[in-house]
Amino acid sequence: MKNNKEFGDKLKHIARQALVFANSDYLRLSDDEQNAFRSNKSEQQSEKVYYYLMKKIFKCNREACEDFHDNFTDEQQDIMNHANILTVGIGEDFIDVNDFTPDNDLLLKFPTVYEYDYDNFLYQVKKKKK
């Protein structure tokens, strides 16, 4: 895999462009709002990001993307995974938060992981009592 800083910087740039393509106000959002957008895009916005990444990274047009993706090499899948995490992850390390609370609130709603964990604990206790 192309594993160097220049390539990583290029993927970050493409990922940011994809996010702007999906939400033209993306760069105007605060850091917290950008985190929330990345982790909770609509299906339509996610699709826009996916096709933008495929077009820019693999020069793949929309019609051919599905067949192309189904036949990815391991290196191509690694590249796409790297680019994708940059469009869904939160924080400066782009951690993928795909966990929802029982009420479908994002984990980002909680100021700390402890508060999320405690809320989840209370929910489980409540469910056991029923």
Side-chain angles (χ1 to χ4, degrees), residues 54-115:
M54 291 291 288
K55 178 181 177 184
K56 292 296 183 177
I57 297 170
F58 301 112
K59 312 296 185 237
C60 176
N61 68 30
R62 189 175 180 109
E63 294 76 36
C65 279
E66 293 303 319
D67 289 336
F68 183 74
H69 192 166
D70 289 343
N71 296 305
F72 267 177
T73 65
D74 288 344
E75 181 180 10
Q76 290 167 326
Q77 187 63 59
D78 287 346
I79 291 168
M80 191 62 179
N81 288 348
H82 183 168
N84 188 55
I85 197 71
L86 296 170
T87 67
V88 298
I90 63 167
E92 56 187 60
D93 293 327
F94 296 98
I95 297 168
D96 185 6
V97 179
N98 59 2
D99 198 8
F100 290 88
T101 65
D103 298 325
N104 275 338
D105 289 323
L106 277 178
L107 196 82
L108 290 171
K109 161 186 160 184
F110 300 93
T112 66
V113 174
Y114 170 79
E115 290 177 54

Side-chain angles (χ1 to χ4, degrees), residues 36-52:
F37 176 74
R38 285 193 307 269
S39 65
N40 197 30
K41 291 184 296 301
S42 71
E43 189 174 323
Q44 182 182 18
Q45 290 167 324
S46 293
E47 191 174 288
K48 281 184 169 185
V49 167
Y50 168 79
Y51 286 113
Y52 189 91

Side-chain angles (χ1 to χ4, degrees), residues 101-102 109-110 114-124:
T101 65
K109 161 186 160 184
F110 300 93
Y114 170 79
E115 290 177 54
Y116 160 74
D117 192 46
Y118 186 69
D119 185 74
N120 192 27
F121 167 75
L122 292 177
Y123 174 80
Q124 289 175 28

